[in-house]
Amino acid sequence: MAKSLQTVMNLQMDERDHKRVTAFPSLRPKAAPKLEIKNVSKSFTSGEGRICALSDINLTIHDGEFTCLVGPSGCGKSTLLHLIAELETADQGEIKLHSRKEEPTKERGERLIVFQESALFPWLTVVENVAFGLKLKGIEYKERVEMAMEYLNLVRLAKFAQCFIHELSGGMKQRVALARALVMNPELLLMDEPFAALDIQTRENLGRELEEIWRKTGKTIIFVTHNVEEAVNLGDRVVLFSGRPGTVRQEYQLAVDRPRQKENPLLKDLINVISNDFKRFSESLINEAIG
């Protein structure tokens, strides 16, 4: 990847929805679709009346892909995750998961969310928290503890297995939450700004660990963030949302060798391009709102 960003960038127009797509040469063959989002819209009723959160969202997420959703606050990124996880229902459109299982059910945990707040149980130990979902599935004690310990090893927290949650740092809590999701073996892992409340150093460390875990497990991940640098460092693809109502304004296919290095000049160029587009779209929305 010695070529400059300007050399490899190829801008194409999607005639269907007129959004611009920034494409880069792929480092690997594109996998089969894992999730298809077609013409999805969602609105809510508030004291100000009906508010449209999402409008005509169309996305295809491929098996094993790491996709980052970026956009301003209130643009519907988290709402889209909730729709994918079936925590809410779309007003219109279709969200289809192509499951490997013959008869997928919600109870099997095909789609799991890791939130910004770890939402761990303070009265349980670390290993009990990670094994909690397995207990609900009826898995015997010995087997679920062994499975929980496997994933605690993966997130480098095995030696804290018998600690309680109040004994952990913020970053450690998020790693426990990640292990709790991974142990359920979801086909789709949804992450809603999981590192937003952490300091910069911890956030960067967890980003590197998440990239390593993704490479080992091959999970399909959809990751929501406000941080363009974080998205570029993690994603195979970055999807830029507009403000309310949320729409897909632009997609960036990122073919940059892994593990990603902050010093890579191509990464810096990508961050600048996406940040400038983010700013331009945001300013356009502000000008429209003013009049």
Side-chain angles (χ1 to χ4, degrees), residues 169-172 174-175 195 198-209:
S169 68
M172 293 166 73
Q174 285 303 95
R175 285 151 68 190
F195 309 148
L198 305 175
D199 64 85
I200 294 176
Q201 187 62 52
T202 302
R203 185 173 186 153
E204 290 181 353
N205 290 340
L206 285 178
R208 286 190 291 269
E209 290 183 14

Side-chain angles (χ1 to χ4, degrees), residues 32-35 59-63 65 67 188 220 222 237:
K34 169 57 69 175
L35 183 79
L59 278 175
T60 298
I61 308 298
H62 294 90
D63 194 18
E65 185 178 26
T67 304
L188 194 60
T220 306
I222 303 178
R237 176 165 46 137

Side-chain angles (χ1 to χ4, degrees), residues 8-266:
V8 299
M9 187 181 296
N10 175 30
L11 299 180
Q12 302 172 330
M13 181 65 74
D14 185 322
E15 295 179 355
R16 177 174 53 78
D17 60 4
H18 305 290
K19 69 174 180 289
R20 203 174 64 169
V21 179
T22 306
F24 298 88
S26 177
L27 290 177
R28 59 184 180 182
K30 186 166 286 189
K34 169 57 69 175
L35 183 79
E36 291 185 280
I37 303 170
K38 298 180 180 180
N39 308 315
V40 165
S41 296
K42 177 67 176 177
S43 57
F44 299 95
T45 300
S46 73
E48 300 177 356
R50 199 71 175 165
I51 295 176
C52 184
L54 293 169
S55 177
D56 196 28
I57 301 297
N58 289 276
L59 278 175
T60 298
I61 308 298
H62 294 90
D63 194 18
E65 185 178 26
F66 198 132
T67 304
C68 293
L69 309 184
V70 178
S73 296
C75 73
K77 305 183 299 297
S78 296
T79 298
L80 182 59
L81 286 196
H82 293 174
L83 295 176
I84 294 170
E86 299 184 325
L87 300 178
E88 297 177 21
T89 304
D91 297 339
Q92 66 180 46
E94 178 186 17
I95 298 176
K96 183 176 182 180
L97 175 68
H98 297 278
S99 177
R100 299 189 186 97
K101 300 167 184 174
E102 294 182 1
E103 297 179 359
T105 64
K106 294 180 186 178
E107 287 73 19
R108 290 184 179 176
E110 282 87 0
R111 327 168 196 208
L112 292 179
I113 295 185
V114 177
F115 294 100
Q116 182 174 334
E117 297 295 330
S118 57
L120 302 171
F121 302 121
W123 58 89
L124 298 180
T125 63
V126 166
V127 68
E128 289 170 339
N129 267 282
V130 174
F132 185 77
L134 301 174
K135 181 179 180 180
L136 294 181
K137 291 180 68 173
I139 295 176
E140 293 295 327
Y141 177 80
K142 182 179 179 181
E143 182 181 357
R144 67 176 183 258
V145 169
E146 289 175 353
M147 293 173 68
M149 289 303 302
E150 177 184 349
Y151 283 92
L152 283 174
N153 271 306
L154 186 64
V155 299
R156 303 176 185 177
L157 284 178
K159 65 181 180 181
F160 297 95
Q162 299 305 322
C163 291
F164 286 93
I165 302 307
H166 71 272
E167 299 176 281
L168 307 181
S169 68
M172 293 166 73
K173 290 176 184 177
Q174 285 303 95
R175 285 151 68 190
V176 174
L178 178 57
R180 183 176 60 181
L182 290 171
V183 77
M184 301 301 293
N185 194 27
E187 294 196 40
L188 194 60
L189 183 60
L190 310 172
M191 307 191 75
D192 192 2
E193 298 191 74
F195 309 148
L198 305 175
D199 64 85
I200 294 176
Q201 187 62 52
T202 302
R203 185 173 186 153
E204 290 181 353
N205 290 340
L206 285 178
R208 286 190 291 269
E209 290 183 14
L210 177 60
E211 181 183 8
E212 182 180 350
I213 290 168
W214 168 75
R215 290 169 64 196
K216 288 179 178 178
T217 63
K219 291 296 178 188
T220 306
I221 297 178
I222 303 178
F223 188 100
V224 165
T225 178
H226 288 90
N227 190 310
V228 172
E229 181 175 353
E230 182 174 57
V232 170
N233 284 331
L234 290 173
D236 290 323
R237 176 165 46 137
V238 175
V239 180
L240 182 59
F241 276 63
S242 70
R244 189 178 298 159
T247 58
V248 175
R249 292 299 298 266
Q250 193 157 328
E251 298 181 32
Y252 309 81
Q253 304 282 351
L254 310 182
V256 183
D257 292 333
R258 295 180 184 271
R260 304 262 168 94
Q261 303 295 329
K262 289 181 63 177
E263 298 75 18
N264 187 332
L266 179 56

